[in-house]
Amino acid sequence: MSHTGTPPPKQRRGHEDGYSTIEAAFTLPAMILLTMLVVQYALLWHGRHVAQAAALNAVRAARTYQSTAEAGQNAATSYLAHVAPNLLTSPSVTTSRTATTVTVQVHARLLSVVPFADFDVTQTAAGPVERFVS
C-alpha cells in the first residue's frame, strides 16, 4: 500500500482530544431544552383548540330552544373529560345565557413538560339563542 501523505485520523486531531465530551456537555442539555419548548408550544396550541372546541360545544348545547346554561356547562365539562382529561386539568366552565345570547368561557391548566413553568388556557365562545318566533 502506498501512503498518500495524510496522517491517520488519530494523529490529525492532536490537541483536540476530549473536546467532543465538553461540546456534548453543553450541546445536549440545550438541545433537550429546545425540544421540550417545541413540544410545550405544540401542547399549548392543541390545548387552546380543545378548549375552544369545548366552548363551542357548550354554546351549541345551551343555545337550543328551551335549553339552559347548565346544559351548556355540562356539555363542555363532559367534552373536556372525554377528549383531554390529562391535557387540560382543573377545568372551569362559565356559561351565561340571556334571552338573546349564550356566552361560554373555558379556563384550564395545561399539561407542562417544561420544568418550573405553568400554563393556562382560556377560550370564549358566544352565539345567539334559538327562539320561537310566530
Side-chain angles (χ1 to χ4, degrees):
M1 282 193 206
S2 66
H3 191 350
T4 59
T6 58
K10 183 71 175 164
Q11 291 176 353
R12 265 188 278 154
R13 283 195 294 170
H15 66 282
E16 294 179 10
D17 286 343
Y19 274 100
S20 62
T21 305
I22 294 171
E23 289 171 355
F26 287 110
T27 305
L28 287 178
M31 292 301 294
I32 291 170
L33 181 62
L34 182 63
T35 302
M36 290 171 69
L37 288 173
V38 169
V39 169
Q40 187 65 59
Y41 179 77
L43 287 173
L44 180 61
W45 182 83
H46 181 59
R48 289 172 127 175
H49 284 86
V50 169
Q52 184 67 31
L56 290 171
N57 198 22
V59 167
R60 268 187 237 110
R63 72 185 290 265
T64 60
Y65 183 64
Q66 294 185 337
S67 187
T68 63
E70 290 79 27
Q73 189 162 354
N74 292 338
T77 304
S78 175
Y79 182 86
L80 290 173
H82 285 93
V83 173
N86 298 321
L87 176 65
L88 299 176
T89 59
S90 305
S92 164
V93 179
T94 306
T95 306
S96 65
R97 178 185 159 119
T98 65
T100 58
T101 61
V102 173
T103 304
V104 178
Q105 183 180 48
V106 175
H107 178 82
R109 172 106 0 170
L110 183 70
L111 174 70
S112 179
V113 295
V114 177
F116 312 113
D118 292 326
F119 298 95
D120 292 332
V121 173
T122 303
Q123 293 293 316
T124 303
V129 171
E130 292 179 355
R131 296 180 292 158
F132 178 73
V133 180
S134 58

